[in-house]
Amino acid sequence: MKTVKRIAAVLLAVMLMAPAAVNAAAPSVRDTNLNKKKATATVTYNKKTQLPTTITVNGQKLVVGKDCVIVKKKKSGKKNGTYKITIKGIGNYSGTTTVTYKIKKAEQKIKTSAKAKTYKASTIKKKGKKFNLKTKAISKKVTYKVTGKKSAKKYIKVSKKGKVTIKKGIKKGTYKIVIKANATKNHKQGKKVVKITIK
């Protein structure tokens, strides 16, 4: 009888020690405190009010909604510029910090009625050619520059409205019309090249 009691006592002691051993073996998860840490973010202008979805804190990328939440914003960001918000850590992160985020300028695309033009030299020898680029850009200030051979500017003229005139007598070769649209408050400078090939 005494032997049975001793075995029962040993088993009970082992059972009580097991959870403690497991807890001692499992490493404790330490969270990262964000308090007053430097935080930045960047988004690109898209005509809409937007907030960052990822934020860099001390070189570490945090995903909004997973690692942190936005708890305060001074004003909604829409146009190109710098804004500030406050985030609070969640999950493996804790504490709060201020994020300086920037909405950067978007690329500016230039659209034209033609990407390239090809003509036979024999045809232009008798009569010149004309066409309109019908340029469309966000910026209202658009410039045109003719490049290629030394005689390019002599035989190809582009008006301020994008009307192209190719004079008769132009030599064979490849010529380029470089179109540039000035940068705006929310868009970078735009650039496009239209090639003219004379065979």
Side-chain angles (χ1 to χ4, degrees):
M1 190 69 179
K2 290 183 178 179
T3 304
V4 173
K5 288 182 177 180
R6 287 178 182 175
I7 293 172
V10 171
L11 289 173
L12 181 62
V14 170
M15 289 174 67
L16 291 172
M17 291 173 64
V22 171
N23 290 333
S28 59
V29 179
R30 293 183 180 180
D31 64 14
T32 302
N33 196 303
L34 304 178
N35 283 340
K36 297 182 180 180
K37 296 284 180 68
K38 184 179 179 181
T40 58
T42 305
V43 295
T44 303
Y45 173 78
N46 65 358
K47 296 182 181 179
K48 300 177 182 179
T49 298
Q50 57 180 327
L51 292 167
T53 55
T54 57
I55 295 167
T56 302
V57 182
N58 276 8
Q60 208 169 6
K61 285 190 176 181
L62 275 65
V63 178
V64 177
K66 179 185 176 183
D67 304 313
C68 64
V69 290
I70 297 170
V71 294
K72 185 180 179 182
K73 51 186 179 182
K74 289 189 177 181
K75 63 177 181 177
S76 299
K78 183 176 181 179
K79 297 181 180 180
N80 167 52
T82 303
Y83 302 86
K84 287 187 178 182
I85 56 175
T86 301
I87 60 169
K88 180 181 179 182
I90 59 175
N92 295 330
Y93 299 89
S94 64
T96 60
T97 191
T98 300
V99 182
T100 301
Y101 81 97
K102 183 179 180 181
I103 295 181
K104 64 179 183 179
K105 291 185 178 184
E107 298 292 335
Q108 182 177 181
K109 294 182 179 180
I110 298 175
K111 295 181 179 179
T112 55
S113 59
K115 293 181 180 179
K117 287 282 187 178
T118 301
Y119 300 101
K120 288 184 178 180
S122 57
T123 303
I124 300 182
K125 187 177 181 181
K126 299 175 183 178
K127 187 180 180 180
K129 292 287 181 179
K130 291 183 179 181
F131 66 92
N132 196 333
L133 287 168
K134 296 180 182 179
T135 306
K136 290 183 180 180
I138 291 171
S139 174
K140 293 182 179 179
K141 295 182 179 180
V142 179
T143 59
Y144 302 90
K145 184 179 180 180
V146 179
T147 63
K149 293 187 175 182
K150 291 181 179 179
S151 59
K153 293 180 181 180
K154 179 182 177 181
Y155 290 102
I156 300 176
K157 301 291 182 181
V158 186
S159 72
K160 291 181 180 180
K161 293 184 177 181
K163 293 182 179 180
V164 182
T165 301
I166 304 173
K167 296 181 179 181
K168 60 182 181 180
I170 189 170
K171 307 299 180 183
K172 291 182 180 181
T174 300
Y175 304 84
K176 295 178 181 178
I177 298 174
V178 181
I179 308 167
K180 288 184 179 181
N182 283 15
T184 65
K185 186 176 181 179
N186 296 307
H187 291 84
K188 298 177 182 178
Q189 181 190 64
K191 183 180 177 181
K192 185 174 183 176
V193 176
V194 175
K195 290 184 179 181
I196 298 175
T197 303
I198 309 299
K199 292 183 177 181

